[in-house]
Amino acid sequence: MDSETAGKARYAAYVAEQASTRAAASTLVRAAPVLMGMMQQEHDADELEKGLAACAAQAEQVGNARYFHDRPPTRQECAEVVEKDRCGNPVTRAMFLGRQKHVLALQCAEQVLKKLWPAPFSIEQRYRYYPNARMVESISKEKEARLITDGCTEELRGTIKPDIVLHESRTQLLKAVLTLDFKFPCPDSNLPKWALYGPGSPYVGKNQGEVYEAALGGPALLISPGNGVKPP
């Protein structure tokens, strides 16, 4: 092997090593290696991850600023009941803030995904999952809104509604390359975690992430202000 060929070989090995290092640094790529082949540039997976984590941090800061002048709420404040929902169930401040911060985070995430994700994505798409048949179908936002307005929420029992689903193509809109949920722990010293399905749910004993993965096929990850994108 002449010196020029040897030099090219060393350079190729170096480039491969650097690409491998970048991939290893990305939680998204570790969870779904297929992302490396789908992203437009080698650095885009890292950029996507950082952008989504920044959306969570920004939503946390703005949400807290609205009600607490930039400080996080205390454990006692998080537990306080601030209103009741249309069914008369108590809504804690933690639940109220979580909804507000989700709106902010998803608005931000949509812009990040439009810039960096090369394929279709869904935001707050509701799905009906049939575990025994291992089938899933989407529910249109119009039908979801009509059922809620009509008070027919029982018809939504057993459905799932992830924050973000990344798809491979428009022919694969019932499958996920990756599913992502924002979580805003209150107080912020709590660790982000998937919600557990309780009695009355067809998924009792399982958590959201497990059901998302079973229904949509791809891995599911959490995004939070304090932890960024949480590894599986």
Side-chain angles (χ1 to χ4, degrees):
M1 183 183 295
D2 60 38
S3 59
E4 181 178 353
T5 302
K8 288 181 178 178
R10 285 195 298 271
Y11 179 74
Y14 171 78
V15 170
E17 181 182 357
Q18 293 303 303
S20 176
T21 300
R22 282 193 294 271
S26 169
T27 301
L28 297 183
V29 171
R30 288 203 306 274
V34 68
L35 264 67
M36 280 298 287
M38 295 184 64
M39 304 301 285
Q40 296 172 355
Q41 302 290 334
E42 288 180 354
H43 67 274
D44 276 358
D46 285 334
E47 191 175 348
L48 176 60
E49 181 174 330
K50 290 175 183 175
L52 294 174
C55 287
Q58 175 181 287
E60 176 83 350
Q61 189 277 323
V62 173
N64 288 342
R66 285 180 177 175
Y67 302 100
F68 296 97
H69 304 289
D70 292 327
R71 71 168 177 83
T74 65
R75 186 172 298 277
Q76 181 178 354
E77 288 168 334
C78 289
E80 289 175 358
V81 175
V82 295
E83 62 183 24
K84 291 188 177 182
D85 65 18
R86 60 188 297 168
C87 298
N89 300 313
V91 176
T92 64
R93 182 173 278 107
M95 296 163 63
F96 175 82
L97 287 173
R99 288 201 299 261
Q100 301 257 326
K101 292 172 183 178
H102 263 85
V103 171
L104 296 169
L106 291 173
Q107 289 173 345
C108 173
E110 184 173 10
Q111 298 308 309
V112 171
L113 292 166
K114 284 180 177 178
K115 178 183 177 182
L116 294 172
W117 182 247
F121 61 88
S122 299
I123 292 181
E124 291 194 306
Q125 172 63 55
R126 189 179 290 276
Y127 302 91
R128 189 180 302 281
Y129 174 46
Y130 302 91
N132 293 334
R134 300 189 65 82
M135 288 177 54
V136 65
E137 63 183 11
S138 61
I139 298 174
S140 72
K141 294 186 184 296
E142 293 75 18
K143 181 176 181 179
E144 177 188 18
R146 184 173 66 253
L147 289 171
I148 292 172
T149 299
D150 293 344
C152 302
T153 53
E154 179 60 24
E155 291 193 35
L156 297 177
R157 179 177 174 272
T159 61
I160 58 174
K161 190 176 181 179
D163 287 340
I164 299 170
V165 180
L166 305 183
H167 308 287
E168 187 170 352
S169 69
R170 295 200 175 279
T171 63
Q172 297 287 326
L173 296 182
L174 296 178
K175 295 291 183 182
V177 172
L178 193 65
T179 303
L180 301 156
D181 251 15
F182 285 103
K183 297 294 182 184
F184 296 94
C186 190
D188 60 4
S189 56
N190 286 353
L191 291 174
K193 60 183 180 180
W194 295 109
L196 282 171
Y197 292 99
S201 167
Y203 317 123
V204 61
K206 297 183 180 296
N207 66 44
Q208 286 175 305
E210 291 171 328
V211 176
Y212 291 169
E213 291 180 354
L216 300 171
L221 300 176
L222 297 176
I223 312 172
S224 66
N227 292 71
V229 180
K230 186 177 180 182

